[in-house]
Amino acid sequence: MQISIIAAKSDNNVIGKAGGLPWSIPADERFLMEKIRHGYLLTGRKSFESNQGGTLFAGRQFVLITRRQDYDPGPGGSIAHSVEAGIAYARAQQAEQLWILGGAEIYRQALPYADDMYLTEIHTQIEDGDAFFPAIEPADWEEQWRVPHPADAENEHAYTFLYYRKRPSVSH
Ligand SMILES: NC(=O)c1ccc[n+]([C@@H]2O[C@H](COP(=O)([O-])OP(=O)(O)OC[C@H]3O[C@@H](n4cnc5c(N)ncnc54)[C@H](OP(=O)(O)O)[C@@H]3O)[C@@H](O)[C@H]2O)c1
């Protein structure tokens, strides 16, 4: 099973503020929806309940990470009580692809298990962010490609799509 992280972060590593995304980049939302079209999804409980929750998970199979015993994630959803258990659950469902959708707590704990990573850098500094992308060990990850885009009428900041693969020498 391929395990892929997908995230957007500002130049100062912010991924969230007050439970939501602190920018409007529709091109990145389309990129995300296109990428995650196939496969199983894994999310933290807080991200699931944030604005993204409604659209991303409708009609999808996903596993939600929570410490709560009685959480009902709704149709298509299952719960697991650790990232490791969530990954094991997706594997047991014979998923070929697992998308790690965050947020910050989940990215940090899933990083050791990820094979690759789609990262959108949003070229702005966000003040007062409260959720951050974890520090990446540059030696562990090999940049495969990057595609920069300028800001335009629709997208309020310039942004760059990046794709990294974990170096084969890095153990899980
Ligand atoms: N820019 C992006 O790409 C992106 C993507 C996703 C989210 N976000 C943003 O990130 C922010 C949310 O991130 P967050 O870090 O606050 O929350 P999160 O990672 O989405 O969820 C945290 C919750 O996950 C559960 N959890 C985490 N580790 C666990 C473990 N080891 N065992 C069991 N349960 C565990 C807990 O749920 P319980 O409290 O239910 O026990 C915890 O409160 C929001 O602002 C959101 O908009 C940004």
Side-chain angles (χ1 to χ4, degrees):
M1 183 176 74
Q2 178 90 359
I3 302 177
S4 305
I5 283 177
I6 188 161
K9 68 173 190 75
S10 69
D11 287 335
N12 59 333
N13 288 326
V14 171
I15 65 161
K17 183 171 170 176
L21 297 182
W23 50 69
S24 173
I25 309 285
D28 185 52
E29 291 164 30
R30 285 195 296 274
F31 179 82
L32 170 73
M33 294 308 281
E34 175 63 28
K35 278 289 158 219
I36 68 170
R37 200 131 59 99
H38 303 288
Y40 225 89
L41 310 177
L42 184 148
T43 178
R45 194 267 306 162
K46 289 184 185 169
S47 294
F48 180 72
E49 291 181 355
S50 78
N51 301 339
Q52 294 181 322
T55 48
L56 284 185
F57 299 94
R60 300 299 301 268
Q61 288 191 298
F62 64 96
V63 58
L64 177 148
I65 311 301
T66 177
R67 293 186 178 85
R68 300 183 191 178
Q69 298 298 320
D70 56 354
Y71 194 90
D72 177 7
S78 304
I79 62 169
H81 301 305
S82 69
V83 167
E84 289 80 0
I87 291 172
Y89 182 83
R91 197 169 266 133
Q93 303 305 301
Q94 256 103 67
E96 289 179 8
Q97 169 74 54
L98 180 64
W99 293 100
I100 307 290
L101 299 182
E105 289 186 36
I106 299 304
Y107 288 138
R108 182 172 48 74
Q109 296 173 76
L111 212 45
Y113 308 108
D115 301 300
D116 59 0
M117 180 159 67
Y118 293 86
L119 213 50
T120 306
E121 289 180 353
I122 312 293
H123 297 307
T124 184
Q125 302 281 326
I126 301 291
E127 303 304 324
D128 306 324
D130 53 25
F132 294 85
F133 199 73
I136 297 299
E137 183 55 62
D140 291 356
W141 296 89
E142 189 169 28
E143 183 183 315
Q144 302 291 311
W145 49 255
R146 62 169 60 212
V147 183
H149 295 273
D152 56 27
E154 187 191 38
N155 301 289
E156 62 176 340
H157 307 293
Y159 54 98
T160 301
F161 294 126
L162 290 124
Y163 177 63
Y164 296 89
R165 231 182 256 148
K166 193 177 272 169
R167 294 184 196 278
S169 51
V170 181
S171 59
H172 280 211

